[in-house]
Structures are given as C-alpha cells and as structure tokens.
Amino acid sequence: MSFAAPFPAPFGATPSGLPIERWTLRSASGVEAAVLTYGAVLHSLSVPGPGRRPPAGVVLSLPDVKHYVTHGAYLGAVVGRFANRIAAGSFTLDGTRHHIPGNDRGNALHGGADGFDRRVWRAEPCERPDGAASVRLSLDSPDGDQGFPGSLRVSVTYTLTSDGSLTLDYHAVTEGPTPVNLTHHAYFNLSGDPDRGVLDHLLTVDAATYLPIDETGLPLPGTPAPVAGSPFDFTRPRRIGARITEPDVQLTRAGGYDHCWVLDDRVRPSGDGQLGLRRAARLEDPGSGRVLEVHTSEPGLQVYAGQQLDGGFSDFLGRRLGAHAGLCLETQHFPDSPNRPDYPDTVLRPDQILRSRTVLSFPHLTAVAP
C-alpha cells in the first residue's frame, strides 16, 4: 500500500513572529488529518461515512493561530507537562516541594497557564516500513518550566494507516525526576456539524468505576466509585445527553461530564513488544453512521462533554462552538497523581523512558456489508 508523504504548508505565525506549519497526512481509506506545530494540535480529521459516503470533519478546530492563542480551549492540542489537575498546583517529589501556577480554581490544569498546548513544536516526517503517513512533533521543556523539575524532551508522533486509524505515540525522557502525564484534547463530533452537538451521540466507556470529584474538579479521597446505576454508567451504549441534566451532585459540580473513568484492565498485546492496548471508548453518531473507537495504553479516560464551550469563538466555517459542540476522550493517568500515592505512579526518572500510545480507529470504514 502506498501513501502520500506528509507535507507542510505555512499556517501563519504566533504574536511573537514564530512561523507555524500545518502538516497534512492522507490515507488510502479516504481519511485525512492535519497537524499544527502550534500546540501539536490536530487541526482537522476528515472521515468518510459508511459506504464511502462523503467525508466530514470530526474534530472541532479554529481558523487561524490567533484564535488558538486567544481562545484555545485546548482544542486538539497535546497537553502537558501534566494533563488534568494538580491540587493547589503543589506536590512533593523526593523531599522537595514544587509549585505550579494555578490556572483553574486554585489548581494547576494541563501543565499551567503556559503549557505544551501553547508551545511551538518542531516537526519532521517519519519513514515507516509500511509507508504510512507519519509526522513527529518534538518539544524541549527546560528544568523549572512552569515550576516542574527536570528538563524534559517530549515527542508525539501522528501516524495515519491504510485503514484510516490515527495513532498517537508519545515519548519522553528527562534529566531529572518529574511527574509527566500527556494527553490529547481533541473535541470529537462525528456528525461534522457542531450546531448539532454531541448529546445524541452514543457513548460506551469500558470502565466499571470512575473518580468522583470535589467542587474544584479534584478526585475525592478514597477508592473509585462504581458506575452501576448512576449517570456515569456507559458500560453499554447510551446517549450522552440521556442523564446529563439529572440532579446528581457529581454532574452539578462539573456542570455535566468532566470526570476520569478507571479503565477496565483488559489489555491486548500491541504486536511491537512494547505496549499493550485496551479499548477505552466507543462513540457512535446514529445520524451519520460514523463510529470512533479509542484504544490506549493509559489507565484512565477523562470524558469531558464540552459544557464550558460558550459560543464565544467560531470554527473555520464561521460556526459558533457552543456547549456540547464536541466531546473530549482524553486518555491519561489519573488527576492529581503526584499527590495520590494510591494512584499509578506518574514520576519519570532519568533512567526511564515514557512511552504511551492511543489509537483512534473508525470501524465503520472496514465493516463488511451484510
């Protein structure tokens, strides 16, 4: 199978004058993805409907760099150094207390106010034996960056395969111990129309428990809570909007869904001898017939239903991005892990390499008609 090599095009510049590139990846399946060097943003993901029906853009995006700098909302970005929240922006590592500037109700969110989503990454095409379209984006984060210890070198590689799957491979090494938790913040809408929103999409999350939160979005002390019988039970396909307005204290605290699910421990080998993957979620749009499945090596999935999108900015077609215009399925470690020894460890040390993988696939493209 032959692929078109990924290629860059100019995409404006930051306010300080740094040029931004837009790299396009294409697959024989008809799927096309475009990635920005600003924030390592997945700027577009165009996916045909069943039966090779015309493609539609299935991630929310903004028209230019200025809008990403001004409005952001993390649309499509890789976030870090630590995705999700750190309580009061503080943690102790090897006896030393570290402080990250708070940017969300006193907590540090997604690496602080100047996180990886606001950096200019370096991009280079990757050669693969199968010829799949692939681009690697790299970033150097110095010791003390946003208060985090240890200089960190991080990369994310986007690869588009022949069946239309988009793989994100994360890699990081450090010169000093530091917590690292990377995720991708795409807002999915499989209809291709943000005006329709995602409340009628069907969601399945492969998790029997989730992490209840306090009023600031931090996980409560104690063990994960069972989803059974609650509005958080997506163990079978259910409309996202089916129970989102119920008078549940957890829904009230987040204004809807913005919680981390603890993924079931069903890991399948990846075939490369390095990472195992588990299915995290399945998203379906009954109107278009498009289906997205998310597989990951990460233990958690933050589901955010986009309730804080307020229509204050528009996409490249001028469509306002209002509440529930898209759904985030953020594969990651658990929130506030640096302060929670009961959670899986997120500390990366100089003798270690961080590797993480998330695969976005579209089963409707390979389904065999009856």
Side-chain angles (χ1 to χ4, degrees):
M1 179 65 67
S2 62
F3 296 78
F7 58 91
F11 193 76
T14 67
S16 63
L18 294 175
I20 302 301
E21 296 175 336
R22 185 177 189 266
W23 286 72
T24 300
L25 312 177
R26 290 175 177 158
S27 167
S29 65
V31 175
E32 180 175 300
V35 181
L36 303 181
T37 52
Y38 183 82
V41 163
L42 178 61
H43 186 239
S44 67
L45 182 59
S46 180
V47 180
R52 305 293 292 226
R53 292 204 293 268
V58 300
V59 296
L60 304 186
S61 62
L62 299 174
D64 51 43
V65 177
K66 178 182 71 174
H67 283 78
Y68 281 100
V69 171
T70 304
H71 300 294
Y74 307 102
L75 258 71
V78 171
V79 297
R81 184 179 296 196
F82 195 92
N84 218 308
R85 294 166 178 85
I86 297 176
S90 298
F91 60 91
T92 298
L93 177 59
D94 295 342
T96 300
R97 194 71 175 166
H98 300 277
H99 301 277
I100 316 303
N103 59 332
D104 179 67
R105 295 168 287 183
N107 303 316
L109 174 65
H110 292 333
D114 185 23
F116 292 176
D117 60 295
R118 293 186 172 274
R119 308 294 174 84
V120 178
W121 297 56
R122 303 180 303 275
E124 58 182 344
C126 301
E127 292 187 5
R128 288 172 48 98
D130 59 3
S134 186
V135 61
R136 179 182 298 111
L137 295 102
S138 303
L139 182 70
D140 295 330
S141 175
D143 181 23
D145 189 1
Q146 292 292 283
F148 287 99
S151 59
L152 185 76
R153 297 177 61 191
V154 60
S155 69
V156 58
T157 302
Y158 289 88
T159 301
L160 189 59
T161 58
S162 60
D163 65 358
S165 296
L166 183 65
T167 296
L168 287 76
D169 281 307
Y170 303 91
H171 181 279
V173 294
T174 183
E175 293 184 1
T178 185
V180 183
N181 184 25
L182 305 173
T183 193
H184 196 265
H185 212 284
Y187 289 74
F188 296 101
N189 184 321
L190 300 184
S191 75
D193 182 0
D195 291 335
R196 287 180 51 190
V198 295
L199 294 183
D200 287 331
H201 281 39
L202 301 177
L203 176 64
T204 305
V205 179
D206 293 319
T209 59
Y210 79 106
L211 302 179
I213 59 173
D214 66 14
E215 293 82 357
T216 70
L218 290 169
L220 294 172
T223 58
V227 301
S230 79
F232 296 85
D233 189 352
F234 288 95
T235 53
R236 294 184 179 181
R238 198 180 76 221
R239 286 181 56 251
I240 293 167
R243 303 183 65 179
I244 198 171
T245 59
E246 289 188 7
D248 178 277
V249 64
Q250 284 298 309
L251 293 175
T252 300
R253 285 176 177 174
Y257 296 113
D258 191 5
H259 298 74
C260 187
W261 272 252
V262 179
L263 296 175
D264 295 340
D265 195 20
R266 294 194 297 266
V267 178
R268 62 177 175 82
S270 65
D272 61 8
Q274 298 182 32
L275 294 172
L277 301 179
R278 55 169 65 81
R279 195 182 79 163
R282 179 181 173 96
L283 187 65
E284 307 171 57
D285 173 39
S288 68
R290 292 186 183 88
V291 178
L292 165 68
E293 285 195 347
V294 181
H295 290 80
T296 186
S297 59
E298 293 296 292
L301 179 74
Q302 185 83 8
V303 177
Y304 171 49
Q307 54 266 22
Q308 294 181 25
L309 297 175
D310 60 4
F313 47 92
S314 305
D315 69 4
F316 61 97
L317 293 178
R319 299 173 297 190
R320 290 286 181 182
L321 301 180
H324 310 302
L327 177 77
C328 296
L329 299 169
E330 306 165 45
T331 57
Q332 58 186 261
H333 272 60
F334 303 152
D336 201 30
S337 291
N339 294 308
R340 295 290 300 264
D342 50 324
Y343 289 172
D345 190 13
T346 55
V347 174
L348 181 67
R349 298 185 179 276
D351 60 345
Q352 299 172 328
I353 298 175
L354 180 148
R355 292 186 177 92
S356 174
R357 173 172 293 171
T358 293
V359 180
L360 311 176
S361 61
F362 301 95
H364 68 275
L365 296 178
T366 55
V368 177

